[in-house]
Amino acid sequence: MNDKIYDISIIGGGPAGMFATYFAGLRNLDVALIESLPKLGGQPETLYAQKHIYDVAGLPKISATDLIKQLDKQLEITKFDKYLNTSVSSIERDENDSTWILTTNKETIRTKAIIIAIGNGAFKPRKLTFDYDKTLEDNNLNYFVNHMEDFQGKDVLVAGGGDSAVDWSIDLSKITNHTALIHRRNKYRAMESSVKKLNESDVEQLNPYIIKGVDYNADDHKKIDVHLKMIKSDDEKTVTADKLLVNYGFVSDSKILRDWHIELSGPFIKVTQEMETNLPNIFAIGDIVTYPGKLQLITTAFAEGPVAVTKALRNLYPNRDYFEHSTSIFEK
Ligand SMILES: Cc1cc2nc3c(=O)[nH]c(=O)nc-3n(C[C@H](O)[C@H](O)[C@H](O)COP(=O)(O)OP(=O)(O)OC[C@H]3O[C@@H](n4cnc5c(N)ncnc54)[C@H](O)[C@@H]3O)c2cc1C
């Protein structure tokens, strides 16, 4: 176990968790931000990156991905530890010192307070539904782009018909040897402007095809054979490539909460006006919470973070100043 004891660990790196991290850092709390995906941003970044948001105060119109970039930039100002690809599976109290122990798929994290900001639950990519050799996921078969360089000079197949698949195929085609986009329909579910860019790009469009299977190429084990079947036709073909990037969207699941002994109302966490749950020093904010009048909006999530952080600060350090305007903090 990591020996460090954080003041606050924030579970979930969507808008709620990102802004709460910034606010806690600004108040000199020792903060960990834990996100199950390889990148921060929650629903805006994962589900609707290219769409515009029109109801965040002070920002008349901003794309979801740009809003997340701004939150990320704001986070650069503050000190915190970021745990990506890290999914919290259980929360237990250490009765000896009243701290909480978070078990994750990686390390164990010890903390005095917790803010749960998990939205609709941990996102997981929707995977290919047929059986395939899972070792393909070590290199050739990807559900995320972690590093663009991994695709440099390669023959790449992208699967999917939404914004993410279309945008990735256009971006990757600028650095790959060859990029093809496989979609089961002739029409894409992506923004018109992105489809226009796709049609003007070098991306080969393989549609309407579904993927029936994927395996290692018999002659060159570094490559893969992707077996395609045309919709409503007997036409089948096999395409050999270095990589297959599947972008079939994400599924989320908050069932895990049931094992955390937190009081729920349906799928949501019940919180007080100060964002407290029924457990000591565990708070919750954002889409996962419910209270009378709750709105599932970014702007509400932004407001709930400071309330939770301030209450945690008052509980942990009763003698510290807990309310200060950011203007005074920066001027010190
Ligand atoms: C299509 C669409 C359009 C929308 N448009 C608007 C709009 O115009 N204006 C607006 O205000 N709102 C809009 N919303 C709603 C808005 O996106 C949500 O209210 C907001 O994302 C909630 O933020 P959050 O941080 O609470 O949750 P999320 O954004 O869901 O983030 C939660 C994060 O927690 C992570 N996580 C979950 N479980 C774990 C775990 N166990 N361990 C580690 N990490 C975990 C997840 O991977 C995720 O990244 C829209 C939503 C959708 C789907």
Side-chain angles (χ1 to χ4, degrees):
M1 176 169 358
N2 191 339
D3 283 342
K4 187 164 183 176
I5 303 182
Y6 289 100
D7 289 322
I8 303 187
S9 292
I10 298 177
I11 310 174
M18 291 178 83
F19 187 63
T21 301
Y22 169 71
F23 193 87
L26 210 58
R27 270 136 189 93
N28 273 326
L29 291 165
D30 213 342
V31 192
L33 175 60
I34 308 162
E35 167 56 49
S36 58
L37 290 180
K39 59 182 177 181
L40 298 178
Q43 294 172 51
E45 186 64 34
T46 315
L47 301 183
Y48 59 102
Q50 301 308 322
K51 294 199 164 46
H52 285 100
I53 300 172
Y54 300 86
D55 54 358
V56 176
L59 298 169
K61 175 182 176 184
I62 187 162
S63 74
T65 192
D66 282 346
L67 177 67
I68 297 304
K69 279 194 194 115
Q70 290 299 325
L71 284 167
D72 233 346
K73 206 164 167 192
Q74 200 170 31
L75 278 174
E76 283 170 17
I77 305 171
T78 188
K79 243 182 70 195
F80 70 102
D81 287 341
K82 179 159 57 175
Y83 295 84
L84 294 177
N85 288 311
T86 308
S87 196
V88 176
S89 51
S90 78
I91 296 178
E92 273 170 278
R93 191 159 164 90
D94 184 338
E95 295 302 342
N96 296 320
D97 60 1
S98 302
T99 56
W100 291 97
I101 298 164
L102 305 181
T103 306
T104 76
N105 56 324
K106 291 191 172 164
E107 56 204 292
T108 306
I109 297 167
R110 194 182 271 271
T111 186
K112 295 176 192 164
I114 297 171
I115 297 181
I116 302 173
I118 62 172
N120 297 325
F123 284 116
K124 289 195 184 122
R126 225 184 274 276
K127 294 199 171 186
L128 294 170
T129 48
F130 50 79
D131 276 342
Y132 58 84
D133 181 340
K134 291 291 181 283
T135 64
L136 285 165
E137 289 185 19
D138 297 342
N139 187 21
N140 308 81
L141 171 58
N142 304 109
Y143 290 97
F144 293 104
V145 176
N146 283 334
H147 306 289
M148 288 270 284
E149 313 85 79
D150 298 344
F151 293 77
Q152 183 102 37
K154 302 268 164 73
D155 291 329
V156 175
L157 296 171
V158 180
D163 281 305
S164 190
V166 169
D167 291 346
W168 272 123
S169 56
I170 298 166
D171 287 349
L172 289 174
S173 70
K174 294 173 191 154
I175 58 160
T176 56
N177 179 48
H178 178 257
T179 302
L181 175 61
I182 306 161
H183 182 38
R184 65 197 159 118
R185 299 206 176 90
N186 286 317
K187 208 167 176 309
Y188 296 98
R189 281 176 289 103
M191 288 198 355
E192 251 174 63
S193 54
S194 302
V195 175
K196 186 166 177 274
K197 272 193 214 154
L198 175 73
N199 290 332
E200 289 162 3
S201 75
D202 294 335
V203 177
E204 182 188 0
Q205 298 179 43
L206 297 171
N207 40 21
Y209 279 102
I210 50 159
I211 303 178
K212 272 186 58 191
V214 53
D215 44 41
Y216 287 107
N217 179 275
D219 300 325
D220 181 350
H221 209 62
K222 286 193 179 138
K223 291 192 179 278
I224 45 172
D225 286 336
V226 180
H227 308 289
L228 306 179
K229 181 184 175 307
M230 191 179 248
I231 298 283
K232 291 186 188 159
S233 151
D234 294 332
D235 180 20
E236 293 196 6
K237 63 173 160 188
T238 295
V239 184
T240 302
D242 296 296
K243 277 184 170 294
L244 170 63
L245 171 67
V246 176
N247 273 159
Y248 286 168
F250 290 84
V251 282
S252 60
D253 175 3
S254 61
K255 284 196 200 100
I256 201 166
L257 275 180
R258 293 190 202 135
D259 302 329
W260 292 2
H261 308 293
I262 288 183
E263 195 182 345
L264 302 178
S265 170
F268 303 109
I269 300 178
K270 273 171 99 168
V271 287
T272 65
Q273 262 182 317
E274 288 180 296
M275 300 295 133
E276 297 160 293
T277 68
N278 59 313
L279 299 178
N281 286 327
I282 301 195
F283 304 83
I285 58 173
D287 274 13
I288 192 61
V289 304
T290 185
Y291 53 81
K294 166 68 186 171
L295 297 175
Q296 288 195 329
L297 287 177
I298 292 166
T299 205
T300 326
F302 283 167
E304 291 162 357
V307 175
V309 168
T310 306
K311 179 63 177 158
L313 180 55
R314 285 166 70 177
N315 289 356
L316 300 179
Y317 301 104
N319 297 325
R320 264 202 220 170
D321 276 346
Y322 56 83
F323 183 78
E324 273 187 294
H325 286 133
S326 63
T327 42
S328 337
I329 296 174
F330 276 97
E331 277 158 20
K332 265 186 201 162

